[in-house]
Amino acid sequence: MTTNKFYNAIFAAGITLILACLMIGVKLDTSGTQLAVKGATAAQWAWIGGGIALVFLSQLFTTQIDTLFGKIPKPSISTMLPEEKKMATLKPWLLAGLIVIMIIWPFMVSRGSVDLATLTLIYIMLGLGLNIVVGLAGLLDLGFVAFYAVGAYTYALLSQYFGLSFWVCLPISAGMAALFGFLLGFPVLRLRGDYLAIVTLGFGEIIRILLNNWTNLTGGPSGISGIAKPTLFGLEFTRKAKGGEDAVTFHDYFNLDYSSSYKVIFLYLIAVLLVCFVIYVINRLMRMPIGRAWEALREDEIACRSLGLNRTAIKLSAFTLGASTAGFAGAFFSARQGFISPESFIFIESAIILAIVVLGGMGSQVGIILAAIVMTILPEVAREFSEYRMLLFGLLMVLMMRWRPEGLVPTKRPQLELKQ
């Protein structure tokens, strides 16, 4: 055990003490017109002390901890699957069975479960879109929520001012988000690493502030309410038709009793359809030359240029296609909520989407799906610890970086082995 480790442990414990005192140990209490400072309770100080001791010990014995984490088995999905030839035969049937289960599942569970699953599918779409930029092309984007907001506001504004339906606005929202991604690509062509992250972070904040201040068009902080819901061939899922004299509701057309669960299940099925479409398109792109070019750019930009690949076109295509996926998710989010405001598109949303990509595995679609499920369901399970949700989130990230830094399901690269 070296002296440097001891000093590092003391430094880390001191930083933890300062941050814990600011977040938990000191609270401002307003009583009337007076502002008073209140300290933490004895139980909170005990938790703070335990956390500081944990940080100190983890820094002091970091080598032993790394060795311990290295001994923990890391399950691999590839070892649980059949041989490659059998898997190629079974894969279409497994995918078809999974889709059938996803379609039948909402009719067997509660409305709350279906609504949570719909939210999970939105984050899966966002994770898959950011995976193109970060996981495949290796471009760190901290402002991805801006494209999400562009897609949401495009549908909300077109629906409010021009009366366009969800199905008409869906490709328009994706196209508008793709346009913004294309425009963002030009200023960052020569940037990489931290500088690229700072510029994209600023772009996300610019979009949020623009939506917040352009009150004549976007409603500002008040947002936009009464956004039209998707319809099934013109059939509305409301109790009474609102689309005019010719409008018919879903339950009247099929002679059913009205139930609000019809709308929730319909939105879930739309989300399943969009996720399947996004996965199919991205899979096709990954097998095309553009997908190989993204991976070449991620591995080594100089080597990519030396191969004669157009760096400008590769970066612009990654930003554009990733942003279009966020536009799909934004339009669907707007239709699902019925109300949007700039507060729905703050920086923490970009951080969550980036965490999904990192936790799932850079470039891994299966890993991103699993990570989106974990990141969406975990806050609901730990709802009683809502005050410490971000601390639990940070702890999860630290444990993942220690145990499996390559993600839950790392990308399987094609390789050849020579056997003697």
Side-chain angles (χ1 to χ4, degrees):
M1 191 180 301
T2 62
T3 307
N4 288 336
K5 284 189 177 181
F6 183 74
Y7 287 141
N8 290 337
I10 293 178
F11 179 75
I15 294 296
T16 306
L17 174 62
I18 294 173
L19 293 177
C21 289
L22 291 176
M23 292 189 298
I24 302 175
V26 177
K27 294 184 177 180
L28 298 178
D29 183 35
T30 55
S31 54
T33 58
Q34 300 295 324
L35 186 65
V37 179
K38 295 180 64 178
T41 62
Q44 289 175 331
W45 281 118
W47 280 103
I48 292 173
I52 293 171
L54 182 63
V55 170
F56 178 79
L57 294 174
S58 64
Q59 289 294 320
L60 196 61
F61 299 102
T62 179
T63 305
Q64 292 81 352
I65 293 174
D66 288 340
T67 304
L68 178 63
F69 273 101
K71 293 180 180 179
I72 299 176
K74 300 177 181 180
S76 176
I77 292 182
S78 59
T79 59
M80 305 176 187
L81 297 175
E83 297 178 359
E84 188 173 352
K85 292 183 179 180
K86 292 183 179 179
M87 191 61 197
T89 305
L90 292 175
K91 188 175 180 180
W93 296 99
L94 292 175
L95 292 176
L98 179 62
I99 293 174
V100 170
I101 291 173
M102 292 179 68
I103 293 174
I104 297 176
W105 177 79
F107 299 96
M108 305 170 61
V109 296
S110 64
R111 173 178 173 174
S113 300
V114 177
D115 202 41
L116 181 60
T118 306
L119 181 62
T120 303
L121 291 170
I122 292 176
Y123 278 103
I124 289 175
M125 276 190 281
L126 292 170
L128 292 171
L130 185 59
N131 186 47
I132 295 176
V133 183
V134 178
L136 296 178
L139 305 171
L140 183 56
D141 187 354
L142 294 181
F144 195 70
V145 73
F147 309 123
Y148 186 34
V150 168
Y153 270 88
T154 298
Y155 169 58
L157 293 174
L158 290 177
S159 174
Q160 185 179 59
Y161 290 105
F162 300 99
L164 299 180
S165 68
F166 169 78
W167 300 106
V168 173
C169 293
L170 188 62
I172 298 176
S173 299
M176 186 62 68
L179 176 61
F180 273 78
F182 183 79
L183 295 177
L184 173 65
F186 279 103
V188 301
L189 284 177
R190 297 183 179 274
L191 301 177
R192 65 178 73 180
D194 300 338
Y195 304 102
L196 173 63
I198 292 171
V199 171
T200 54
L201 174 62
F203 177 75
E205 286 301 300
I206 288 172
I207 294 296
R208 186 185 64 82
I209 293 172
L210 179 66
L211 295 174
N212 213 15
N213 293 337
W214 200 353
T215 54
N216 294 333
L217 181 67
T218 65
S222 301
I224 301 175
S225 59
I227 302 172
K229 300 289 183 181
T231 60
L232 178 63
F233 299 108
L235 301 178
E236 300 180 6
F237 287 84
T238 54
R239 185 181 294 274
K240 294 182 179 179
K242 301 178 181 179
E245 298 180 355
D246 298 332
V248 182
T249 60
F250 175 82
H251 62 280
D252 286 340
Y253 184 83
F254 289 99
N255 197 22
L256 300 171
D257 294 331
Y258 172 75
S259 175
S260 58
S261 62
Y262 296 152
K263 177 178 65 178
V264 177
I265 293 174
F266 180 60
L267 289 172
Y268 166 82
L269 294 177
I270 293 176
V272 170
L273 179 65
L274 290 176
V275 168
C276 291
F277 173 75
V278 169
I279 292 175
Y280 173 77
V281 171
I282 294 177
N283 272 327
R284 297 293 298 173
L285 290 173
M286 289 174 63
R287 288 168 171 79
M288 294 171 64
I290 185 63
R292 304 298 184 189
W294 288 337
E295 295 184 2
L297 180 69
R298 178 190 64 196
E299 296 300 327
D300 193 326
E301 185 172 338
I302 297 176
C304 175
R305 294 179 63 186
S306 68
L307 292 173
L309 298 176
N310 189 337
R311 181 187 60 173
T312 301
I314 296 171
K315 287 188 176 182
L316 289 178
S317 63
F319 275 109
T320 302
L321 292 171
S324 65
T325 304
F328 276 123
F332 178 76
F333 172 79
S334 180
R336 172 182 175 268
Q337 294 293 111
F339 168 80
I340 56 172
S341 70
E343 294 303 314
S344 301
F345 309 102
I346 55 178
F347 168 71
I348 190 61
E349 291 294 323
S350 288
I352 291 174
I353 302 167
L354 181 61
I356 289 173
V357 176
V358 174
L359 289 177
M362 305 282 277
S364 172
Q365 291 186 335
V366 176
I368 286 171
I369 293 172
L370 293 177
I373 294 173
V374 171
M375 293 293 295
T376 309
I377 294 179
L378 188 62
E380 296 298 323
V381 175
R383 184 177 289 274
E384 57 187 48
F385 304 104
S386 58
E387 295 182 3
Y388 311 103
R389 186 176 296 179
M390 295 309 297
L391 293 176
L392 294 175
F393 172 69
L395 179 61
L396 175 64
M397 292 288 289
V398 171
L399 292 177
M400 280 299 301
M401 293 301 103
R402 287 280 193 173
W403 176 55
R404 201 175 182 112
E406 66 274 13
L408 291 173
V409 184
T411 305
K412 185 178 180 181
R413 302 172 185 270
Q415 58 185 9
L416 293 174
E417 295 183 0
L418 297 177
K419 296 182 179 180
Q420 295 181 355

